[in-house]
Amino acid sequence: PVDQPSCEYPIGSGVEHLFDGGLWIGGKRGGTTLVTTGAVDVPSLASAEENGFEFTTSDDLFDVIEERSSIVYSPFFHPEAISHQDFVMDYTDSNTTVPESGDLIPEHVPINVSIHQETYAWSYPYAEAFVIFNYYITNTGDEPLTDVYVGLWADLVVRNVNITPPSVGAPFYRHVGCGYVDSLQMAYSFDYDGDPGYTDSYVGLKLLGATPQANDTLYRIKTNYKVWLFRDQSDPNLNSPQTDVERYNKMSSSFFPNQMYLIHNPSNYMTLITTGRFQFLEPDSTINVVFAVICAKKFGDEPTTLDEELCKKNLYFYAGWAETAYNGEDRNGNGVIDSVDVDGDGIFDLSEDINGNGRLDRYVLPTPPSPPRFRVIPGDGQATLYWDNSSEESMDIISKKKDFEGYRLYRTLLGEDAPGRDFLGSLSLFKQYDVKDSLGYDSGLSTIRLAQPVYFEDEITLNSNTGTPDTIFYHYSYVNKNLHNGWQYAFSVVAYDKGDPENGIESLESSKILTSVRIFPGTLAQRKTGLKVGVYPNPYRTRVMWDGLLERDRKIYFYNLPPECEVRIYTLTGDLVDKFQHKALTYRGEDINWFEKYSGEGRLFPGGEHAWDLVTRDDQAIASGLYLFCVKDLSTGEVQTGKFLVIK
């Protein structure tokens, strides 16, 4: 969708890694070579009439994407969910017109396959940087397909859209360096020299595995890797394929070993990884192919142009966990239930079949406790944290034990929301509490446990099944003081476990990102007279530390505002500069450019403050000078006035 992050990592950073991408399927039917593509070298917002967009929904199923979650209190909880966020969908290549509009899909000759696609994403700290794409491909035609290849094509562009948006054109795209790691069957790209200091990350496309037809004895796990220049026909090695035959040739071959694996001549490259050859795909038969899209911060502080093994340390870490997720119970990846040596003593003492159902299950990961339900209330120079005790009943999926150990409280560092910084990545531990069990600090939980659980009226909902109220009770609380008003902070409370020495698993904690809440401390809504409305910083000087990069990324705050009021700003000569209404219960900074660029959804304000971007109602940046303001309480009619100085 428009304005949605495109493979953004870290979350909230503005660093996006994927402009466009799609599934490719190629094969032969009756001697004719055919390729169906989900996308090719065209802009991602092109209409379906463009070449290359060849998958559609069925005639009677329009745009149905089901979201599922394995998190019990998620609104998308589903007992069949695989991960914390699944997306499940079905589509086909059999249509030659778009079902919704009837428009022709140009030059499309269907292979006649249907696709059942599932994607999986977890919030565990070791798994939060990849998404798994699981494709089930079924031959819906009357003829067998032979020599089948399945691939993932992508326009990988690692850029910070807050610094260089796609709208600038070529400078957004033409700075990609890329490579391939044969041992991991993974292609990768990075921003070679586009936004130094703002885009120090990798994005990888990795084959995790495939399952052919039962009687296909020739298929072997193998990956082909190709890159080419966007819509380019001049380079014999990097030419963009334009026909089904040309695309099939790309899919069925790879660069020569040790050649073209590293391309550090930055440009706009398309990336394709494929697996095959599947000997055949009979009518009504299915093959399964699984890829992962992986992001990771570059390791170390080397220049962005450097692409050495150590730089890819984090990428390799997450690629390993993506493979672990795919293997699931199959720890050694041989496809057979074995006994394994979990503690390294040479004794094979544990069956891989963890749940005892007689088969190897994929997507089984070691689980930290479930994240607590968490709430933050911002105040004047402080934040009050509340969380529940649901994590304490968590059972580890592998050990089958309740292994809760304690809670950790995290907070971001001041100023880490500046352009190009990893705001949520700066979440730092500032408090830790663990049960008294001769493990860890044995601090106990009594100092944070509330005498009686509390709840909040605005969170009470009706259970859709029973019609009775669902209420979240919070059992713990902590007040973090000495915060700076007007600055952005993120808080998170995680639960961690004891670890599982018997299975060789260290202590794990729930995701900091999943429970993170962004707040802006400040004054509460003024509910009594005598509190003077004011402005800060006053005077305002250009390039305040919390500002962004552009003129429209500036802000000042009005504080001690009534719950509902109107604010008017004037020049000394009495000309109206701007006006706005403040409503404490619903204000989220949505009228200010800075919050949309450098803060996330769900941000919280204390109620008595409202930011202004120093832009007039005529959409002009204000000049240096002294300005007057008046605030009218819409409930009482009381009016307060004041002034502030802008220095540019």
Side-chain angles (χ1 to χ4, degrees), residues 510-563:
S510 60
S511 170
K512 298 189 291 288
I513 305 299
L514 190 65
T515 58
S516 64
V517 178
R518 297 170 184 251
I519 70 155
F520 292 80
T523 58
L524 302 178
Q526 178 193 138
R527 300 184 183 277
K528 60 181 179 179
T529 59
L531 293 176
K532 180 66 176 175
V533 174
V535 171
Y536 70 92
N538 189 7
Y540 169 87
R541 292 180 172 85
T542 302
R543 309 310 304 158
V544 172
M545 286 183 63
W546 65 35
D547 283 350
L549 295 174
L550 305 177
E551 179 79 30
R552 296 181 181 277
D553 296 343
R554 297 173 177 170
K555 63 181 185 295
I556 61 174
Y557 287 94
F558 291 84
Y559 66 92
N560 280 340
L561 294 174

Side-chain angles (χ1 to χ4, degrees), residues 19-22 24 37-47 50-53 152-156 173 226-233 238-243 246-247 250 268-272:
F19 180 75
D20 201 1
W24 284 25
T37 57
V40 293
D41 302 10
V42 294
S44 65
L45 298 182
S47 65
E50 296 275 4
N51 264 318
F53 294 88
L152 199 59
W153 171 92
D155 185 354
L156 302 175
Y173 302 97
K226 282 288 179 70
V227 298
W228 58 83
L229 293 165
F230 175 73
R231 289 183 173 177
D232 187 279
Q233 293 294 298
L238 302 174
N239 61 307
S240 173
Q242 302 298 303
T243 66
E246 291 177 356
R247 289 171 184 145
K250 294 281 190 184
N268 185 9
Y269 296 104
M270 308 296 102
T271 300
L272 175 69

Side-chain angles (χ1 to χ4, degrees), residues 132 501 629:
I132 290 177
F629 68 85

Side-chain angles (χ1 to χ4, degrees), residues 83 105 225 337 378 406 456 562:
S83 70
I105 303 174
Y225 165 64
I337 297 176
F456 297 91

Side-chain angles (χ1 to χ4, degrees), residues 354-392:
I354 297 171
N355 56 18
N357 63 1
R359 67 173 186 268
L360 288 174
D361 295 304
R362 301 200 182 278
Y363 313 113
V364 178
L365 287 167
T367 55
S370 62
R373 284 177 282 195
F374 174 53
R375 180 180 179 122
V376 185
I377 298 179
D380 191 357
Q382 67 179 37
T384 305
L385 284 61
Y386 295 92
W387 65 98
D388 75 349
N389 64 357
S390 58
S391 305
E392 297 169 28

